C-alpha cells in the first residue's frame, strides 16, 4: 500500500492557493481540503493587530475541525496525495505533523491585493462597503500580518513559487517538482 503524502499550498490571501489546488487535485486525481472551509469565529485571534505586535505566533490560529478532517482523510485515503490549502504551512503546531511537503506561492503583495480586490468586486453583494473595510484594515495592519506570516512560512517551505505566471504554468512547475520529489 502506498503512503499518502499531504501537500500543503501556502501563501497570503490572493496568492492563488485555491485555484492551483483545484488544478493539482484534478491532475493527480486527489482529494483536497481548503482551510477557509473550516474557519470559525474563533479561528483567528480576536485582535489581529495586537496579535501582530505580540509576535504573530501562527500557532494561535486554531482550526481543530480542519486538523481532524485531514487526520481522518489521511488514514482513509488511497490516493498518492492529498492537497490542502494551509496558508501557514508547517508553522501551526496543531497540523504540522500531518504535512509532508509545503509549497509556498510567494507572490508579490500588490498582485495578491489586486486579486483580493477582484474577488471582493466579483463575489460580494455590497462590495464597496466590504472592500472599503478590508482596505482600511489592510492599510492599518493586514499587510503587515500577511508579511509576518509569509516570512515564517517561507523558512520551512520545500518549494517556493515566486514567479507571477498563469495558474496552468504554476501547476506545471509544481507537477514537475512533485514527480521528482514524491516517489
Amino acid at each position: 500500500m502506498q503512503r499518502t503524502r499531504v501537500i500543503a499550498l501556502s501563501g497570503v490571501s490572493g496568492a492563488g492557493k485555491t485555484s492551483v489546488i483545484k488544478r493539482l487535485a484534478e491532475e493527480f486525481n486527489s482529494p483536497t481540503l481548503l482551510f477557509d472551509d473550516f474557519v470559525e469565529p474563533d479561528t483567528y485571534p480576536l485582535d489581529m493587530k495586537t496579535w501582530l505586535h505580540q509576535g504573530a505566533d501562527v500557532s494561535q490560529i486554531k482550526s481543530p475541525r480542519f486538523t481532524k478532517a485531514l487526520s481522518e482523510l489521511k488514514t482513509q485515503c488511497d490516493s498518492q496525495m492529498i492537497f490542502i490549502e494551509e496558508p501557514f504551512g508547517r508553522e501551526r503546531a496543531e497540523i504540522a505533523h500531518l504535512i509532508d511537503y509545503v509549497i509556498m506561492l510567494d507572490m508579490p503583495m500588490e498582485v495578491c491585493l489586486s486579486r483580493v480586490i477582484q474577488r471582493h468586486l466579483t463575489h460580494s453583494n455590497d462590495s464597496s462597503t466590504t472592500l472599503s473595510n478590508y482596505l482600511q484594515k489592510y492599510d492599518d495592519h493586514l499587510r503587515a500580518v500577511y508579511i509576518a506570516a509569509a516570512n515564517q512560512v517561507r523558512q520551512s517551505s520545500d518549494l517556493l513559487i515566486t514567479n507571477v505566471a498563469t495558474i496552468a504554468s504554476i501547476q506545471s512547475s509544481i507537477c514537475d517538482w512533485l514527480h521528482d520529489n514524491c516517489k
Side-chain angles (χ1 to χ4, degrees), residues 5-23:
R5 307 220 186 231
V6 175
I7 315 300
L9 264 73
S10 300
V12 304
S13 185
K17 299 177 298 291
T18 303
S19 298
V20 172
I21 282 174
K22 288 177 182 178
R23 301 273 304 253

Side-chain angles (χ1 to χ4, degrees), residues 90-104:
R90 287 187 195 91
E91 297 304 306
R92 294 189 317 120
E94 80 176 65
I95 200 164
H97 67 284
L98 296 171
I99 297 172
D100 294 293
Y101 297 106
V102 174
I103 299 170
M104 182 178 186

Side-chain angles (χ1 to χ4, degrees), residues 3 29 39 83 88 104 114 121 148 158 183:
R3 178 174 170 254
N29 193 29
V39 170
F83 291 98
F88 311 102
M104 182 178 186
S114 171
L121 293 174
D158 299 294
K183 297 177 181 178

Side-chain angles (χ1 to χ4, degrees), residues 83-150:
F83 291 98
I84 66 168
E85 173 198 41
E86 170 51 50
F88 311 102
R90 287 187 195 91
E91 297 304 306
R92 294 189 317 120
E94 80 176 65
I95 200 164
H97 67 284
L98 296 171
I99 297 172
D100 294 293
Y101 297 106
V102 174
I103 299 170
M104 182 178 186
L105 303 182
D106 199 6
M107 300 293 114
M109 291 301 293
E110 68 272 11
V111 170
C112 296
L113 178 59
S114 171
R115 291 174 178 171
V116 170
I117 290 170
Q118 290 176 51
R119 188 168 43 209
H120 271 271
L121 293 174
T122 303
H123 299 295
S124 178
N125 293 335
D126 189 9
S127 61
S128 62
T129 302
T130 59
L131 182 55
S132 177
N133 290 340
Y134 176 82
L135 291 173
Q136 286 175 1
K137 288 178 186 176
Y138 186 89
D139 286 343
D140 184 61
H141 65 279
L142 275 183
R143 183 177 188 278
V145 164
Y146 291 147
I147 290 170

Side-chain angles (χ1 to χ4, degrees), residues 21 54 57 60-61 72 86 91 120-121 144 148 162 164 174:
I21 282 174
Q54 292 176 342
D57 178 5
Q60 292 178 1
I61 298 167
E72 289 172 357
E86 170 51 50
E91 297 304 306
H120 271 271
L121 293 174
T162 58
V164 179
I174 293 172

